[in-house]
Amino acid sequence: MKTFEFKGHEFSISLDGILFWLDKKIAIISDLHLEKGSSFASGGQLVPPYDSLETLNKLLESLEKNQVKELILLGDTFHDDQAIERMSNDVIALLKSIIDKYKVIFIRGNHDNKLRMDGMIFYEQYKLDGIHFIHEASKKNFYQITGHFHPVASLKVNSKKIISKCLIHSDNLMILPSYGHYTGGLNITKSPLKEFININSIIYLLSKKSVYKLPFKKMKNLL
């Protein structure tokens, strides 16, 4: 994990894209897109519909390992408003066990904006210590931690092209990578994502073995 400061607090980003607010023992995660696999399968695409179980098991393992007390989910936790109806009993039981064990803040995303479930309270935004937790980044001048764009970066290193999920850290903004099993990504050079990146931005590239801190001004020749 890489540790850095944001609004006077220490945060760290893990290899799998979980942002930890260290002194508060809060885990911040975006875009799980639970039941995306079953959505694809119902539409005739031949993908294994077991992504939710894999995603939640991986998440729970990380939460327990890092002794988290609170969980902030930045929206698109579910792939669509009917996702819970397609969940297996095992997935529902695992999801409820996480809700029972941790204080969970659900931010509304564009995919799950009408979803309802007992025990879940959804917020349009959540504010803590002057930091706004919202699904999609805003151009307004306040500290914000967001998701939505599924940022990825592709780098040319010698003859190889490397593509990885990444965290964007720009002045008073962080944009988290997606966490879900079947989520794709938007390159940081593409609109509208590139509009939130400036010459002072830091890109945290998540590889299988390490998190690499790359100042955007030094990356420009590698993109």
Side-chain angles (χ1 to χ4, degrees), residues 2 4 165-167 169 202-206 211-213:
K2 285 289 185 185
F4 52 89
K165 292 182 179 182
C166 63
L167 166 78
H169 183 186
I202 303 294
I203 308 298
Y204 290 90
L205 198 67
L206 312 181
V211 177
Y212 296 98
K213 179 181 178 180

Side-chain angles (χ1 to χ4, degrees), residues 9-10 22 30 40 43 54 63 71 82 88 109 111 178 185 213:
H9 295 275
E10 273 199 329
L22 298 178
S30 190
F40 282 179
E54 292 181 19
L63 297 179
L71 182 59
Q82 291 77 44
S88 68
H111 276 260
S178 62
K213 179 181 178 180

